[in-house]
């Protein structure tokens, strides 16, 4: 089985000690691709450094809404340079989860500017949206980038809105949780050629690893759960999602 992890954070400090050894072991575990998502200017540089070390590893660069406090318009020029050799702009978006999180107007400004940069560079976007579904959709409909809505947690109706915009939808190990009925219903609404799988590691470990540090080698559990919902074999599900990731991110 060939597995493509479309969203991971191997620059997180959770991997500081053994991350490089772990990544080196992935080819023999069937992990054929990993997208390392930037979440700040600093982590985006770190993702690019990892991509330079491992041929199956590809970097996305961007400022996450939780890092929006560092946003200033001048960062677009830096990101434009940094995007050279990157496969996407991300992760970017809106996160209203914390009342004391970054100012929502600054989050929107950073999100919109980075969607425009992605369009200018003809790169896909990786969108993060938490507790901000209506505003995220409104801004995506306004700017019309191409890309993926990652770690999808919305309804089947919301999935259809993004599918209509040409988006891919990324699902994590959450689909393996016993109480994840909503995520499973949403998955059923996403055609096989628009589905991506992701760890979002070090978070979101699938059952039976729930609560542990997650990594891409745990994805077979997520593949099995999605394959059952889609009524295909795990091998087919893995192959289709790997092909989708290569198509979206322009990887050959
Ligand atoms: Zn995210
Ligand atoms: Zn992430």
């Amino acid at each position: 089985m060939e597995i493509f992890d479309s969203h991971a954070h191997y620059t997180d400090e959770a991997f500081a000690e053994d991350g490089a050894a772990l990544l080196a072991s992935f080819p023999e575990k069937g992990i054929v691709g990993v997208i390392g998502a930037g979440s700040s200017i600093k982590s985006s540089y770190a993702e690019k450094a990892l991509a330079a070390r491992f041929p199956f590893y590809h970097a996305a660069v961007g400022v996450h809404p939780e890092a929006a406090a560092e946003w200033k318009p001048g960062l677009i020029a830096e990101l434009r340079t940094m995007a050279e050799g990157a496969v996407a702009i991300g992760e970017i978006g809106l996160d209203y989860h914390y009342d004391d999180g970054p100012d929502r107007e600054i989050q929107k400004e950073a999100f919109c500017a980075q969607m425009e940069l992605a369009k200018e560079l003809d790169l896909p976007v990786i969108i993060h949206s938490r507790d901000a579904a209506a505003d995220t959709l409104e801004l995506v409909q306004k700017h019309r980038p191409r890309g993926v809505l990652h770690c999808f947690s919305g309804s089947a109706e919301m999935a259809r809105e993004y599918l209509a915009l040409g988006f891919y939808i990324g699902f994590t190990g959450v689909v393996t949780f016993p109480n994840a009925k909503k995520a499973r219903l949403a998955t059923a609404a996403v055609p096989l050629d628009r589905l991506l799988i992701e760890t979002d590691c070090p978070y979101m470990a699938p059952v039976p690893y729930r609560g542990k540090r997650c990594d891409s080698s745990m994805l077979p559990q997520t593949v099995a759960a999605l394959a059952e919902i889609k009524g295909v074999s795990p091998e087919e599900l893995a192959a289709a999602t790997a092909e989708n990731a290569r198509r979206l991110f322009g990887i050959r």
Side-chain angles (χ1 to χ4, degrees):
M1 188 150 73
E2 293 199 333
I3 290 179
F4 197 118
D5 186 351
S6 67
H7 190 110
H9 299 282
Y10 285 104
T11 59
D12 189 280
E13 59 188 26
F15 295 108
E17 277 187 25
D18 61 342
L22 190 62
L23 284 165
S25 77
F26 282 171
E28 70 197 41
K29 291 175 179 162
I31 312 298
V32 296
V34 174
I35 304 290
S39 47
S40 61
I41 293 292
K42 190 175 163 220
S43 75
S44 294
Y45 279 117
E47 290 297 345
K48 285 200 72 183
L50 272 186
R53 280 179 70 183
F54 298 96
F56 60 88
Y57 199 96
H58 309 276
V61 299
V63 175
H64 188 289
E66 279 185 58
E70 76 174 355
W71 184 257
K72 48 184 193 284
L75 286 182
I76 280 294
E78 187 169 357
L79 280 167
R80 186 182 288 115
T81 307
M82 215 193 289
E84 180 115 3
V87 297
I89 299 296
E91 56 184 302
I92 61 175
L94 301 174
D95 193 324
Y96 296 170
H97 188 66
Y98 301 104
D99 288 333
D100 60 350
D103 181 88
R104 292 179 182 182
E105 291 311 311
I106 294 173
Q107 289 191 38
K108 288 180 190 171
E109 190 186 315
F111 184 28
C112 294
Q114 291 179 97
M115 283 194 279
E116 285 303 313
L117 178 66
K119 283 160 54 184
E120 175 198 317
L121 300 174
D122 193 24
L123 285 173
V125 291
I126 298 172
I127 294 184
H128 168 105
S129 176
R130 183 160 63 153
D131 299 340
D135 282 5
T136 306
L137 181 62
E138 186 190 317
L139 294 179
V140 171
Q141 283 173 332
K142 186 173 161 201
H143 291 274
R144 300 296 300 264
R146 64 189 177 89
V148 54
L149 194 65
H150 106 92
C151 193
F152 188 72
S153 59
S155 62
E157 289 70 35
M158 189 56 82
R160 285 189 199 98
E161 295 278 5
Y162 281 92
L163 291 168
L165 292 165
F167 263 68
Y168 291 73
I169 313 278
F171 290 93
T172 64
V174 168
V175 294
T176 66
F177 296 177
N179 60 354
K181 191 164 171 253
K182 195 166 103 177
R184 284 194 286 268
L185 283 172
T187 316
V190 180
L192 199 53
D193 65 355
R194 296 285 194 86
L195 200 62
L196 294 181
I197 52 170
E198 57 171 284
T199 52
D200 203 11
C201 64
Y203 315 107
M204 304 285 182
V207 172
Y209 311 108
R210 197 170 173 182
K212 295 201 172 119
R213 185 189 72 174
C214 183
D215 72 69
S216 309
S217 68
M218 296 175 182
L219 274 173
Q221 317 296 325
T222 306
V223 167
L226 289 172
E228 196 183 328
I229 296 163
K230 302 308 290 178
V232 296
S233 69
E235 289 74 17
E236 265 177 278
L237 194 288
T241 51
E243 183 54 32
N244 294 343
R246 292 191 184 106
R247 188 187 318 119
L248 175 62
F249 296 111
I251 296 162
R252 278 296 140 217

